[in-house]
Amino acid sequence: MFGLTLGEFQAYGYFALTTFAVVMLYGYIYHLYSSEKKGTKDYEKYSNMALHDEITDELVEKKEEDSKTEDSKQDRET
Amino acid sequence: MFHWLEKRPFFFGVGIFIVISFAGLVMIVPHFVEQARPVVGTKPYTTLELTGRQLYISNNCVACHSQLIRPFKNETDRYGSYSLSGEYAYDRPFLWGSKRTGPDLMRVGNYRTTDWHENHMMDPAAVVPGSIMPAYPWMFTNTADVDTGWAEAETVRVVFNVPYNKDIPLMDGSVVQVPLASTVEGGRAEALIEAQAVAAEMKNQDVKDAVAAGKIPEIVALIAYLNALK
Amino acid sequence: MENRPLEYDYTVAKMFLFTTMLFGFIGMLLGVVLALQMAWPEFNTILGDTMAEYINFSRIRPIHTSGVIFGFTLSGIFAGWYYIGQRVLKVSMAESKFLMIVGKLHFWIYFLAILLAVVSLFAGYSQSNEYSELEWPLDIVVVVFWVLWGLSIAGLVGIRREKALYISIWYFMAAFLAVAMLFIMNNIVIPTYFVSGAGSIMHGVSAYAGTNGAMVQWWFGHNAVGFVLTVPLVGMIYYFLPKESGQAIYSYKLSLLSFWALMFVYVWAGGHHLLYSTVPDWMQTMGSIFSVILILPSWGSAINMLLTMKGEWKQVASNPVIKFMVLSSTFYMFATIEGPIQAIKSVNAIAHFTEWIVGHVHDGALGWVGFIIMAALYHMAPRIFKREIYSKALMNTQFWMQTLGVILYFTSMWIAGITQGMMWRAADEFGNLAYSFIDSVDALHVYYIIRAVGGILYLAGFIIFIYNIIKTMSARPVEERDLQNATPMAA
């Protein structure tokens, strides 16, 4: 494939995918902290899902029927 | 982007799956293209040996005995030359084990005899004082399931092209064939001939009588397998 | 329908709670029998010579491992799922008849699978792949109940009220997906009866030969440990510890990061079972390296758990359920540093094939898995039965007995393992082997006895646990509001 031996293909594939995964992981760390700092999203509030889990308790985040429009709206609000 | 994923359980699941299958894709899958090739001298198991191997499996001998000699001086001194990948080409499943409560058996056929196994399987502590291995006396009376042994040989011949009835090169340049009958009746007859050779070297009269009557006790099949481990 | 307030429905969780105790008892009892057989081989024939075929060491060893992993642990995980799943998604099983049927079917097929597994392993039907011994007809039953579990996860998530998925749900989903992939890949066999028309219908021959088979098996074997004995249990402790202590997770962000890191890194580490074998060198090295990296996500979770108790350490002294969970996290840290050490090639040269590995497995299984599952059951039982725990004193007794049991177990196996490893490689002044193999067996006798004592203590603690839970079913009833955080228990 592409003039490479299987071993070479495996090695390049491995390198490319691992680099991608590392970039994603650091991107995720950046996302977690920056979104909290900017106030667009507070991940820590999700801990409350375990603490306030009675069926009568208030929802941490309501599930909307039309998630496409609501997502962006809620992102701006929170 | 991350937030988008976290809100959609289906795509989120797909994401998890991609991440966990990553290692398998890189490590496991490409390797299968290069099928394990047998080293010179590695032969497929005969019907009786495969029957014995199935007994080795069903009695879970692998819980205490490995079949993998690592390339260390103490292991090659103790068990013989270290294992090569091609030597396992006909092992389905592999029986490397992960624990040595007892010694490695990869090349036990080189240094133990039918007679030794016969005594040892009947009462391990009598042969090796201090041994904690259980005795397997029922193997001298239970009849081995040769049909399933033949069925396995026939299956690997058909599905995986294992070279039964074909020339197999040996180290000294000569060739040898491992015969496999085309019917289960033929397989039974072949196994019985092999079993007679093993039983001739044994002392237990019940075993000899059973083989003379055309039955193969489990111990005979097991010893045939152990003797084939070289 | 009458106007009754909606409640969580724990019917299925309760069923799995009982099987956790049943299979836990059977699995641990067999473990004790095995330990005794290694200390005194006479135990192989304790039920007479005719029964020896079925109860000798080699026959019951896979029943012990499968019984504890797929009987005890999976039951605990399923009980946890049918409890936590409803609560963090804020949706009741009672709201969907379909999901209730799926849940019950899941339970009964699972129960059937485990019973058939025990019977078939006693009868000697095995394919000798560790933790994957069952023959192909039983594998199909396993796949059926696994699919039903998946259906249950997808169903509950589908009708949830809470938009975001709590971290525990992430872990359950990952466990479901990974085990499905690994189990199917590792159990691909060709049933010999259908190809040749002869022999036993139960028998199948593996699609993988030799070295390839070893790679697939330990890719499975290591990750079965990862995705059954670790991943869903991390998910469970992420729910039960915050809930029981009333403390929010120390850092929710860290829990998410550790999750992804664990998912990525774990699967690579299977190669550490194959060091110095005939698999390609780069794969062995990879297995070794990733095993060491694995410390990071594992400790990320464990430290996150322990820091959740920050400022509330007094609860550890006063609440036995917290005590169980904190010890469990500690053993998790311990096992996840020990594992990487054993995966270093030069250490593995001594440790592989020895009792040290057995010790490592058991400080994970007894210390981490056992303790978190029992703590989870102690938390769930009062909520399921609406009664307080029967006896706090018994809980404490059990805790100390089992802790002592685990310590005796792993210390004796460490010494035994290193003794074995050193004796095998010892050479005299001329470079000849210093010991014959049987010398190394003789040397371990005393450690086998200590290990058996440790095992008996742990089993005795488990019997106390079963008694306590059974008595809880008829203990003093409690009000809903008393069940908010700390579990109510009678002195």
Side-chain angles (χ1 to χ4, degrees), chain A residues 29-43 78, chain C residues 253:
Chain A
I29 297 175
Y30 179 76
H31 162 77
L32 287 178
Y33 283 89
S34 68
S35 57
E36 184 177 315
K37 211 166 182 181
K38 278 186 275 176
T40 47
K41 184 130 189 108
D42 177 15
Y43 277 91
T78 42
Chain C
K253 291 191 284 293

Side-chain angles (χ1 to χ4, degrees), chain C residues 392-408:
Chain C
K392 186 178 175 181
L394 279 181
M395 284 173 84
N396 276 319
T397 315
Q398 176 208 345
F399 176 84
W400 289 112
M401 277 172 74
Q402 292 191 316
T403 305
L404 183 63
V406 181
I407 292 171
L408 287 178

Side-chain angles (χ1 to χ4, degrees), chain A residues 50-66:
Chain A
L51 298 175
H52 308 293
D53 61 348
E54 287 305 324
I55 205 152
T56 47
D57 282 344
E58 204 176 319
L59 296 172
V60 174
E61 236 177 46
K62 202 163 178 311
K63 187 186 173 199
E64 303 292 343
E65 288 310 314
D66 185 8

Side-chain angles (χ1 to χ4, degrees), chain B residues 59-78:
Chain B
N59 283 291
N60 207 33
C61 304
V62 75
C64 296
H65 295 285
S66 59
Q67 287 190 22
L68 175 75
I69 303 169
R70 298 182 296 168
F72 302 135
K73 182 175 183 298
N74 68 81
E75 299 216 353
T76 50
D77 279 4
R78 201 183 290 278

Side-chain angles (χ1 to χ4, degrees), chain C residues 177-231:
Chain C
L177 291 167
V179 175
M181 167 181 81
L182 297 163
F183 185 86
I184 292 174
M185 287 301 288
N186 193 36
N187 280 295
I188 296 178
V189 297
I190 319 285
T192 54
Y193 178 80
F194 296 112
V195 176
S196 67
S200 164
I201 196 158
M202 292 283 281
H203 186 68
V205 57
S206 172
Y208 316 114
T211 306
N212 282 350
M215 272 159 32
V216 179
Q217 156 63 22
W218 284 110
W219 176 60
F220 162 87
H222 173 75
N223 296 304
V225 174
F227 287 87
V228 174
L229 300 178
T230 304
V231 168

